[in-house]
Amino acid sequence: QVQLVESGGGLVQAGGSLRLSCVASQLPFSRSAMAWFRQAPGKEREFVATIGWSDTTYYADSVKGRFTISRNNAKNTVYLQMNSLKPEDTAVYYCASSPAGVPWRSEGDYNYWGQGTQVTVSS
């Protein structure tokens, strides 16, 4: 059974940084695309960043230049480094995976999801 477990969320002041981690199990990790999505209260879940099996990356315009997605295949882990955080980044952040390996930007293209980790940015 595939499992994705996120960690690293928390409360931070605007301008601060956080690093999220997502550890995957029972998954062909090195061949999978991994992504981060987020959902703010009262809003739909939205794409944040993705990294394909070949390390191709894509970002939402709202986080470009502030967030960095990376992966460590030896540890079956994907990271999201978040810098210059803003109150509008407050959301539950979800890790997702697609065994197809292509860095899609639509949540419908991802087969597996984590339980989410809360990120709260205070002003």
Side-chain angles (χ1 to χ4, degrees):
Q1 180 176 348
V2 173
Q3 276 196 318
L4 302 177
V5 180
E6 303 101 331
S7 62
L11 173 64
V12 64
Q13 288 189 331
S17 297
L18 281 175
R19 188 175 83 153
L20 305 183
S21 300
C22 171
V23 180
S25 59
Q26 303 300 319
L27 184 72
F29 185 84
S30 64
R31 301 194 302 274
S32 297
M34 302 298 297
W36 290 95
F37 289 78
R38 68 185 181 186
Q39 186 167 21
K43 295 188 177 181
E44 293 188 349
R45 190 156 54 185
E46 64 175 4
F47 167 75
V48 175
T50 183
I51 183 165
W53 70 272
S54 63
D55 289 345
T56 300
T57 58
Y58 294 103
Y59 297 92
D61 288 344
S62 59
V63 307
K64 206 172 292 184
R66 300 188 298 122
F67 290 11
T68 302
I69 189 170
S70 61
R71 64 192 301 158
N72 184 328
N73 291 336
K75 295 185 177 181
N76 282 10
T77 301
V78 62
Y79 304 98
L80 185 68
Q81 178 66 44
M82 306 186 294
N83 299 328
S84 303
L85 282 161
K86 305 175 181 180
E88 51 263 43
D89 294 318
T90 295
V92 177
Y93 284 71
Y94 297 91
C95 173
S97 69
S98 169
V102 179
W104 308 112
R105 280 160 275 193
S106 172
E107 64 175 283
D109 293 311
Y110 289 86
N111 307 83
Y112 305 105
W113 293 82
Q115 82 288 349
T117 185
Q118 176 70 47
V119 171
T120 302
V121 184
S122 63
S123 57

